[in-house]
Amino acid sequence: MSAPSERPTLAPSLYAYAKGLRDSDPDGPPPQGGHPVPDSARPRRRRPGLRHQEACAAVTDTLLPFLGALEAPAAGDLARAAAEADAALAATGVVREPTVYSAAAAIEPPGAPAARALARSFARHLVRTGTTLPGVSAGLGLLSRLAEPEDVPYLRVLGLLDGLVHPVDTALGPLDPEAAALVWLIHRPQGEELRALVDTLAAGDRAAVPDRLLALPTERRGVGPEAARRVAEAVGLAALLRSEPDHLGLLARAVWLLTRMTSSRDYRAEILRYGEAVDLYEAVAAHAHRLPREVEHRARLLTLAQDLRGGASHLLPWPSGRREILHRSLLDTAARPGETPADRAERQRADWIGRTARQLRAAPQDPPRFRIEVAVADPGDPDVVETRFLVDGRPLVPEAFGRGPGESPERLLDSGALRAVPEPREVRLAEAYCTEGCCGALYVTVRREDEHVVWSDWRRPGGPARQPDLPAYRFDAAAYDAEVARAEHDHDWTWPARRTSRLITAGLRDRPDLLTRWGLRQGWISTDFRERDTTVVTFDGPPLGTPDRNEEQGGTRQFLWYLPDDGRPPEEQAAAVLRRLAAEDPRTYPELAG
């Protein structure tokens, strides 16, 4: 006998189909990835090459006549209208559920209460009786601004189907974030531990949730920023932590999930999408002093303090003065001295804690109108080193862009890119986590106007089509110049290997012939992402012994020269590198990879 999901369905709707599958095994866990949608629900007619805007227009043009008819005195049979709309949407050839959903969600609901109620009923008929993915997705889109708590059980059932996860998740989120998060987690690839948590939540076994949370792997790749948010939502983390204030393991796990949500290595600032972020910060800060003084706990608490200072967490809806209080509390707790760790990686984190805590304490609590700061992430959770900007006390990049971190200080400060000169110049302040070509970047034009420096003519290529305009900022030129100079000469954030890399870059900037004499072109120079005590010098050029081969002939490759910190001062290490480049072709170095 075949499994229920493999048999042809006789159910009159996708909802009835999904409910039948659930009821056939009410105590069993939902399958990872959800139940397959029957073939009959997917329209056979397709329109290849249909652009997104054209597809949205096709959905909108199909739905509007039905919605317009509802506002007439003789609205007709809603069930019949929904069935006709279901068939008409399937005939459009638009088969991507997120496209159908977004087009329907963009339709403005009627303003009059009676017409609004009719539109809600029409949407519910599509959701509960629709037989095709386009029809049900459109109903979910219409319901996204009309839904009420009574719709939650229907949405949760539909969320068991693999073809409806995005529409259901988006429609369910405002009504029941925990249920929406569980739907999302069901449909995502998971490790054994996370899958156990999902099954526990689906079974309603709340007593087992803390143990399942503690079993989750804390490696960076184990739970990404969005998955961390979904886990926090699914378990009701803020309330759970308040209900068990003496559970230090649960407190540590809450700190970890919160820090994962602040990571810039994702397409969005997940901490700003977490509705209970302020509550969880409050719960964590109230008990953080009870955590053991281990490097791991202190590093994560300091990460939270750093994000409250100039990251996305700064932008949460804080009551007046509350963010500053929590920032100071977390900073003081993280900076408490602990035992000197014997492990090299833990010593790196301890050094970072001391350096970053001093930075945060030295920073003005009431920053000037324009402030530049460099944020270095916890070495235990490798991330970028980014340049942050506070304008009128608010972090610019998360508020104006939000798709990735600020550029590195090497690109913005060491190069002098932020200096205001008479000739206007465009500067890239931030790039999307995935690269500019994928999800965009943030550019501004910097120019000097008499006694002012102006940031204007903002560009965000590659981002969403609809983005709010950004204002032109005018800064006092003397204050601006002083702040840029201060930031350029501030090396308190660096560590020895990073300082070595900056000195090598500066030396090659003054003497580019050290590489060009060998027919080579300088690449990026920084510290290794995983081995932060190793400087990496990269350059491009033809392989050794093929000086006449050019790039068009496939003769260029990238070379990487790894330079572990040998304990000498960075100035000595950088000078030795430059001397060696002057004397020997670097392609002959035994420690080179290429």
Side-chain angles (χ1 to χ4, degrees):
M1 183 175 179
S2 60
S5 61
E6 296 172 345
R7 298 195 300 269
T9 179
L10 300 177
S13 68
L14 283 179
Y15 168 74
Y17 170 76
K19 186 174 184 297
L21 291 173
R22 185 200 63 180
D23 293 346
S24 67
D25 187 15
D27 297 324
Q32 183 171 327
H35 292 289
V37 173
D39 291 341
S40 59
R42 298 184 183 278
R44 296 185 181 279
R45 181 183 175 189
R46 297 175 178 266
R47 293 169 64 180
L50 200 64
R51 295 182 179 179
H52 177 74
Q53 290 182 338
E54 295 171 332
C56 288
V59 173
T60 303
D61 293 344
T62 301
L63 284 172
L64 285 178
F66 290 98
L67 293 171
L70 295 178
E71 298 184 22
D77 183 358
L78 285 173
R80 187 184 70 248
E84 293 175 356
D86 187 24
L89 287 161
T92 62
V94 181
V95 296
R96 293 194 70 249
E97 296 81 26
T99 301
V100 177
Y101 174 88
S102 61
I107 297 175
E108 191 69 29
R116 195 176 182 89
L118 285 171
R120 181 183 295 111
S121 296
F122 174 72
R124 283 173 172 166
H125 273 82
L126 273 174
V127 168
R128 300 176 190 182
T129 66
T131 60
T132 71
L133 286 174
V136 176
S137 297
L140 291 168
L142 294 172
L143 205 58
S144 63
R145 291 196 276 179
L146 297 167
E148 296 175 333
E150 73 172 75
D151 296 299
V152 170
Y154 297 91
L155 299 178
R156 293 185 67 165
V157 169
L158 284 168
L160 296 173
L161 300 180
D162 65 351
L164 290 171
V165 56
H166 173 80
V168 169
D169 172 36
T170 311
L172 188 55
L175 294 170
D176 191 335
E178 288 189 22
L182 182 56
V183 166
W184 188 91
L185 288 168
I186 287 171
H187 290 266
R188 291 300 182 273
Q190 302 156 5
E192 180 181 342
E193 299 87 354
L194 185 54
R195 180 64 198 177
L197 173 63
V198 171
D199 291 347
T200 297
L201 291 169
D205 185 4
R206 301 294 302 184
V209 167
D211 288 340
R212 294 287 182 262
L213 275 176
L214 293 179
L216 294 180
T218 56
E219 293 82 4
R220 176 177 160 270
R221 293 185 178 274
V223 177
E226 183 172 12
R229 172 175 68 87
R230 300 293 189 155
V231 167
E233 290 172 337
V235 304
L237 188 56
L240 182 61
L241 189 57
R242 285 195 298 270
S243 69
E244 299 196 44
D246 297 328
H247 196 319
L248 293 186
L250 183 59
L251 172 62
R253 195 47 49 103
V255 171
W256 166 67
L257 287 169
L258 198 52
T259 59
R260 295 301 297 130
M261 285 185 266
T262 66
S263 173
S264 62
R265 295 190 65 76
D266 207 341
Y267 304 101
R268 293 167 292 198
E270 291 297 330
I271 192 67
L272 298 182
R273 306 179 71 207
Y274 178 42
E276 296 188 330
V278 169
D279 290 343
L280 187 56
Y281 259 111
E282 292 279 9
V284 162
H287 301 285
H289 65 280
R290 301 172 58 200
L291 288 170
R293 298 185 183 183
E294 297 172 4
V295 167
E296 180 176 330
H297 299 312
R298 295 169 57 216
R300 288 174 178 160
L301 293 173
L302 189 59
T303 294
L304 298 180
Q306 188 180 49
D307 207 61
L308 286 171
R309 167 68 184 183
S313 296
H314 184 120
L315 302 175
L316 291 167
W318 297 103
S320 178
R322 192 60 189 161
R323 178 188 61 82
E324 293 83 353
I325 292 173
L326 293 186
H327 169 262
R328 176 57 63 179
S329 173
L330 290 170
L331 174 57
D332 289 345
T333 303
R336 295 180 306 174
E339 294 184 4
T340 302
D343 180 73
R344 183 176 70 89
E346 291 297 278
R347 287 200 303 273
Q348 289 178 344
R349 296 181 86 179
D351 290 344
W352 171 80
I353 290 170
R355 189 168 56 250
T356 304
R358 288 192 297 272
Q359 268 188 280
L360 292 175
R361 282 177 166 163
Q365 296 307 301
D366 186 15
R369 179 150 193 263
F370 177 70
R371 170 79 178 177
I372 303 171
E373 296 182 354
V374 176
V376 181
D378 172 11
D381 186 15
D383 212 326
V384 295
V385 177
E386 65 170 313
T387 310
R388 292 178 173 178
F389 305 95
L390 295 173
V391 178
D392 295 328
R394 294 177 67 82
L396 174 69
V397 170
E399 192 163 38
F401 184 56
R403 289 175 163 257
E407 289 282 5
S408 71
E410 285 84 357
R411 289 182 66 112
L412 291 177
L413 298 175
D414 294 356
S415 67
L418 294 176
R419 297 174 191 171
V421 295
E423 185 69 24
R425 62 178 167 188
E426 189 176 63
V427 181
R428 192 175 78 177
L429 300 181
E431 182 184 24
Y433 157 68
C434 47
T435 70
E436 176 179 347
C438 182
C439 288
L442 177 66
Y443 287 85
V444 69
T445 296
V446 180
R447 69 179 187 275
R448 185 179 293 273
E449 288 186 358
D450 300 325
E451 301 301 316
H452 293 90
V453 172
V454 180
W455 281 22
S456 63
D457 302 313
W458 298 88
R459 283 200 309 121
R460 287 173 288 193
R466 296 180 180 178
Q467 301 181 88
D469 292 335
L470 296 174
Y473 292 107
R474 301 181 69 87
F475 306 108
D476 176 81
Y480 179 92
D481 292 343
E483 177 60 16
V484 170
R486 182 202 64 77
E488 288 180 350
H489 291 88
D490 179 12
H491 305 308
D492 290 345
W493 61 268
T494 58
W495 60 100
R498 191 79 173 208
R499 175 70 174 153
T500 298
S501 72
R502 299 175 82 195
L503 291 169
I504 293 171
T505 302
L508 289 174
R509 189 183 302 122
D510 295 337
R511 292 193 58 191
D513 61 291
L514 293 179
L515 283 175
T516 58
R517 65 183 299 184
W518 310 112
L520 304 173
R521 181 177 56 199
Q522 179 183 329
W524 60 270
I525 302 174
S526 188
T527 45
D528 186 79
F529 189 69
R530 293 291 178 187
E531 295 291 337
R532 59 189 286 113
D533 287 338
T534 296
T535 297
V536 186
V537 178
T538 71
F539 49 89
D540 302 322
L544 193 65
T546 57
D548 297 329
R549 294 174 64 184
N550 56 36
E551 193 165 343
E552 289 73 18
Q553 296 171 321
T556 297
R557 69 172 58 172
Q558 183 184 53
F559 298 88
L560 297 91
W561 184 13
Y562 292 92
L563 300 160
D565 182 11
D566 60 11
R568 290 179 295 168
E571 291 76 10
E572 290 185 18
Q573 293 186 67
V577 166
L578 297 174
R579 286 195 301 270
R580 190 174 182 188
L581 285 173
E584 304 174 57
D585 186 336
R587 290 171 293 182
T588 65
Y589 299 170
E591 63 270 36
L592 198 72

